[in-house]
Amino acid sequence: PYATTRTEGDSPYGLTDKTRAGRPVKIEGLPGHPLNDGKSNAQMQGALYSLYDPELLHAPEKQGEATTWDAADAAIVAAIQGASNVVLVTRPTLGPSERALVKAFQSATKAKHLAWAPASDAPRRAAGKQVYGQDGNPMAALEKATVVVSLGSDVLGTDGETLGQTRGFAANRKDAGGPKAERLSRLYVAEAAMTATGSMADTRIPLRPRHAHAFIEAVRKAVEGEAGGIASFAKEAGVKLEVLANLAQDLANAKGEAVVLAGGHLPESVHASVALLNDALQAAGKTLRWN
C-alpha cells in the first residue's frame, strides 16, 4: 500500500492506497494521521470509481468527433499562445505539487490564477478575519466538549473536518454504563432542514435561517446573565422557552467545556456573534482551536 492524501473542502485526509499490478484497488484511512487517524468515509471509498468508471471518455473529442491526445494538446497550446489573456481556475485548496505546477504554468503563460468553489465557507472565514484579525477556520475539539450547540452546521455529516469531528463527538457519547458515563456530552442542534447532525441531537430546535442571528444573540446574552432576551426571541421565533432556557443554562454551566458552531452558509454577522459567544464560554484553546 501507498500513503497518499485526499482533500475534501479544506481538509487534507491521510489515506492508504492498496494496489495490484500498479492499479489502486482499495482505499482506507491512514493510521496516525492527525485528522482521520485511519478512518475513511463513503466519498473516499467511492473515489476508485473515478478511475474505473466505464462512462469516462477513452479519448478526447473535438466538436463531438474523437481526436487524439497529441492533436488535443497541440490545439490547447496554440490557443494559449495566441491568447492575450489567460486565466487558470482551480479549487481553493491545492497541495504542494499542485501549487508548484500552477507557478510553472503561470511563469510560462503569464496566466492569472483564480480559486473558485461552488459552495464555500467565505462568510465564516471573513468573520474570523474580522474578529481574530487573520484568515482561517475554527476547528472543534468535540472530544473535550460536554455541551455542543450546532446552528445549521452539519458537523457530523458535511460541514468542516467531519471525520475528526465525528471521532471526537463519539468519544464523549459512551453507553450509559461506559467508563465516561459521567461525561456523556449533550448535543443541541438548531436548524431548518434535517441533517445527519440533527438526527443525532439530544434536543433539535427547528429554526428558520432568518432567525439564526437573533438566536445566537439571545443565547449569548443569557449566558452573560441577561435572560430577558430569550423570552422575546422564543415568542418571535415560535421556539419553546423552556428549551432555550435549558440550552443557555447548560452552556453557562459548562464554560471551558462547551462549544458553539455555525454552518458555513450562514451570514458573516452570525459567525461573528458565534465567535463572541465562544469567547464568553472560554472555548478558545480548549474546545476550539484556530486553523
Side-chain angles (χ1 to χ4, degrees), residues 5-43:
T5 302
R6 173 183 171 84
T7 300
E8 293 185 4
D10 291 335
S11 303
Y13 293 113
L15 304 179
T16 57
D17 188 347
K18 184 178 180 181
T19 63
R20 287 289 182 268
R23 294 177 178 271
V25 295
K26 188 68 171 75
I27 287 176
E28 291 293 352
L30 179 64
H33 191 276
L35 292 186
N36 55 313
D37 190 25
K39 304 300 188 293
S40 63
N41 59 20
Q43 289 82 0

Side-chain angles (χ1 to χ4, degrees), residues 233-264:
F233 171 78
K235 183 177 181 180
E236 175 190 350
V239 177
K240 291 183 179 179
L241 176 58
E242 181 184 1
V243 171
L244 286 181
N246 289 340
L247 184 157
Q249 189 62 54
D250 277 350
L251 286 176
N253 292 340
K255 289 184 178 179
E257 293 187 339
V259 66
V260 180
L261 302 168

Side-chain angles (χ1 to χ4, degrees), residues 173-194:
R173 300 288 286 192
K174 303 295 183 182
D175 293 335
K180 284 192 175 181
E182 72 281 359
R183 283 180 54 84
L184 187 69
S185 66
R186 183 168 296 174
L187 174 62
Y188 292 90
V189 177
E191 61 184 7
M194 175 69 78

